[in-house]
Amino acid sequence: MLKNKKIILGITGSIAACKAAYLIRALVRKGAEVQVVITPAGKEFITPLTLSTLSRNPVISDFFSNRDGSWHSHVELGLWADAMLIAPATATTIGKMAHGIADNMLVTTYLSCKAPVFIAPAMDLDMFAHPATQQNLSTLRSFGNYIIEPAEGELASRLEGKGRMEEPDRIVEQLENFFTYQNSLQKKKILITAGPTYERIDPVRFIGNYSSGKMGFALAEACARRGAEVTLISGPVSLSAKHPNIRRIDVESAGEMYQAAIEVFPGVHAAILCAAVADYRPEAVMPEKIKRENKEDMTLDLTANKDIAASLGAIRRKGQVLAGFALETTDELINAGSKLRKKNLDFIVLNSLREPGAGFRIDTNKISILDNKGEVTDYPLKSKQEAASDVVDKLITLLK
Ligand code: CTP
């Protein structure tokens, strides 16, 4: 999958830069063309001669060639690439990338790059765990960049922990996976529901939930990146969908989400229902703000909303794939399995609120996928972006 792929390899000032030599060799062996861009600090750890010999290309580090003064165009380089990989990526470079501080060739190239970007952090465990680094990584994820999580193990400081750059073979494997699945949803239309719903009580109040929409948006992005045309029906969230293949329909209530989903569903090949839809809404919406008027108690009559997943499950055509989510706090597998059957889904993605790192308003998720053949697959704790890739890979196997 890497044959003839043009890869920019960004190298920064970390002891893990010595692994870049193995990385280049593995990429070149797979048939990739590698162009190294190295930061000034990176050159302290590995020589450009080693890198140019292995990559069979001159190494770029400065804006101008020292020899003839010619300009190295970061714009052209950014457009040339099929992928950019920054390995190792130090906390400094990650910070500069997150904030657009383009004071070297590597970061300017990153800012000009239209291709997918993969970032393999390498640093000491405390630096990696620091909120500044985590926030910067989260910003880069929100730009659509892929973070190749560092491994746990012995670090250059002799401390043990998470921060070791992932091994070159594993990095290459992730790139290969990306290119394998890149166009796997070409010509497919996918519907995704995301976020919470707000059920109006009066002009200023609603019943809602803590869903941030992050998982649904990550799914939309993962499908769009694989070439699908995505319709994303989203409840109220403060997220933006960046990919041009995503058409977004904003709704507020479960009723509006149902209407939009019912209209879109007949025209799609698959739907992933990730929204946290309110099961009930107030029976009557008050036209004016409800006043307290010294009342000690207050009763709100609620009425059931339509179940979007079950409704689509009832009208689905043969060949249309339907997937749902289940967020459970008890008897997780039993509850998720019964939802899968009741709503006539092909598979359901289970996340338990009891798992640390899973649930609402965070960037990670720990999922299990249960399918209608009774198969259960457990996945480790991952970023929502990576978890979304796992869900979409499962969808692809069913669309085939
Ligand atoms: N769902 C839906 N429409 C609803 C309620 C849920 O489409 N009115 C979908 C969700 O998007 C999710 C799946 O059904 O894919 C399960 O949602 P969940 O809220 O866990 O299930 P419920 O059936 O509402 O069960 P409960 O709230 O009792 O756990």
Side-chain angles (χ1 to χ4, degrees), residues 193 254 257 272-279 305-310 323-328 335 339 342-343 345 348:
T193 66
M257 189 173 275
I272 310 175
L273 307 171
C274 183
V277 185
D279 287 327
N305 280 325
K306 286 198 177 120
D307 188 322
I308 302 168
F325 271 69
L327 180 67
E328 304 293 341
N335 286 333
K339 281 177 194 176
K342 215 165 62 191
K343 302 184 190 220
L345 307 175
I348 193 155

